[in-house]
């Protein structure tokens, strides 16, 4: 992977490997309405070994074929469809997503431990039928990063602090056998304390210093999130809406590498 414009001189092997590792922990949110716009963005990021996160808008428009195209191009794919249904339905959905070859997908922790465990069962069934596949990382959504405490208490009807709720959901996800959770970077450290350092935290709400918060309520810079223990950083508009998305991604990776 190329160096950013801010780097000079010779680098050690360890520095290059660190940047490659951090690139693999960056998830670019392809929050665009169609394949054409997604493909333009992906072309600009060519050669950066990041994850691609496909959310509901693009998946509903582009369908499974686009996921297969991303995999054919060598990308790891996080399919962000946030399943939340009865266990049997989620089990079947998880089987289908695993057959599609995604590397990560998510469910809502609010669906309960039986539903979360069913997602793992569905993935395991797909792998049993097709041993060349692997079980994706299955993670649970705790509280959306657009959720403030006032909103959670008054509108959603959950008392207590956001952190308390996130940790409770994380423990339930771990109990169900899932691999991690989606949470704000502000909760990464307490999740690690509650569920262990190998329990993954996937953290949206990443905003480089000076960037617009948009509709996010609980945010951190890329460096702060890595220092807090986030395993994967989901970044959308600071990259996708940048004048130079490639340079924006490289700058974020560099900041992650220096954390």
């Amino acid at each position: 992977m190329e160096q950013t414009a801010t780097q000079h001189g010779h680098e050690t092997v360890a520095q290059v490997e660190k940047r490659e590792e951090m690139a693999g922990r960056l998830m670019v949110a392809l929050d665009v309405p169609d394949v054409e716009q997604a493909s333009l963005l992906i072309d600009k990021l060519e050669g950066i070994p990041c994850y691609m996160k496909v959310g509901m808008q693009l998946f509903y428009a582009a369908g499974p074929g686009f996921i297969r195209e991303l995999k054919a191009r060598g990308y790891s794919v996080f399919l962000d469809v946030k399943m939340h249904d009865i266990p049997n339905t989620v089990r079947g959905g998880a089987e289908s997503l695993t057959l599609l070859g995604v590397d990560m997908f998510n469910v809502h922790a609010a669906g309960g431990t039986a539903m979360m465990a069913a997602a793992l069962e569905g993935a395991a069934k797909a792998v049993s039928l097709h041993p060349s596949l692997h079980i994706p990382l299955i993670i649970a959504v705790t509280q959306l990063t657009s959720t403030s405490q006032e909103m959670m208490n008054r509108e959603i009807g959950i008392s207590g602090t956001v952190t308390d709720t996130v940790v409770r959901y994380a423990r339930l996800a771990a109990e169900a056998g899932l691999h991690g959770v989606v949470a704000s970077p502000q909760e990464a450290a307490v999740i690690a304390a509650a569920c262990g350092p190998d329990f993954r935290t996937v953290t949206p709400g990443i905003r480089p210093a000076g960037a617009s918060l948009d509709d996010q309520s609980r945010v951190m810079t890329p460096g702060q999130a890595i220092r807090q223990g986030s395993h994967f950083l989901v970044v959308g508009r600071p990259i996708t809406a940048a004048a130079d998305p490639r340079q924006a991604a490289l700058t974020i990776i560099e900041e992650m590498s220096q954390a």
Side-chain angles (χ1 to χ4, degrees), residues 113-135:
T113 54
M115 187 206 77
M116 288 189 278
L120 196 58
E121 292 165 5
K125 180 182 177 182
V127 172
S128 72
L129 296 173
H130 299 273
S132 62
L133 295 171
H134 65 277
I135 292 181

Side-chain angles (χ1 to χ4, degrees), residues 117-167:
L120 196 58
E121 292 165 5
K125 180 182 177 182
V127 172
S128 72
L129 296 173
H130 299 273
S132 62
L133 295 171
H134 65 277
I135 292 181
L137 295 174
I138 307 175
I139 59 175
V141 178
T142 54
Q143 286 295 314
L144 301 176
T145 50
S146 59
T147 302
S148 65
Q149 183 168 319
E150 192 274 339
M151 176 184 175
M152 188 186 78
N153 295 158
R154 187 176 70 84
E155 297 182 29
I156 302 175
I158 299 175
S159 61
T161 68
V162 171
T163 299
D164 290 341
T165 300
V166 167
V167 171

Side-chain angles (χ1 to χ4, degrees), residues 230-248:
S230 295
H231 291 83
F232 296 97
L233 309 191
V234 177
V235 184
R237 283 162 286 193
I239 293 175
T240 60
D244 186 344
R246 183 180 198 83
Q247 186 57 50

Side-chain angles (χ1 to χ4, degrees), residues 16-142:
V16 173
E17 290 177 346
K18 182 67 175 293
R19 191 175 300 107
E20 293 283 340
E21 176 201 346
M22 291 300 164
R25 293 169 62 179
L26 172 64
M27 296 179 155
V28 176
L30 299 177
D31 294 332
V32 294
D34 53 49
V35 172
E36 290 73 23
Q37 291 187 47
S39 296
L40 287 173
L41 179 60
I42 293 165
D43 288 343
K44 293 176 182 176
L45 299 173
E46 187 73 37
I48 300 176
C50 55
Y51 251 86
M52 292 295 175
K53 184 184 85 71
V54 177
M56 286 181 276
Q57 181 182 24
L58 182 56
F59 187 62
Y60 294 162
F66 181 69
I67 303 301
R68 296 188 184 98
E69 179 183 336
L70 285 174
K71 293 301 300 177
R73 294 181 69 161
Y75 286 106
S76 295
V77 176
F78 168 24
L79 190 51
D80 181 17
V81 290
K82 300 181 179 71
M83 288 191 288
H84 188 174
D85 213 310
I86 63 172
N88 190 58
T89 299
V90 169
R91 185 182 293 108
E95 181 181 352
S96 295
L97 296 186
T98 303
L99 291 172
L100 191 54
V102 302
D103 301 277
M104 179 185 292
F105 68 85
N106 55 4
V107 300
H108 267 288
T113 54
M115 187 206 77
M116 288 189 278
L120 196 58
E121 292 165 5
K125 180 182 177 182
V127 172
S128 72
L129 296 173
H130 299 273
S132 62
L133 295 171
H134 65 277
I135 292 181
L137 295 174
I138 307 175
I139 59 175
V141 178
T142 54

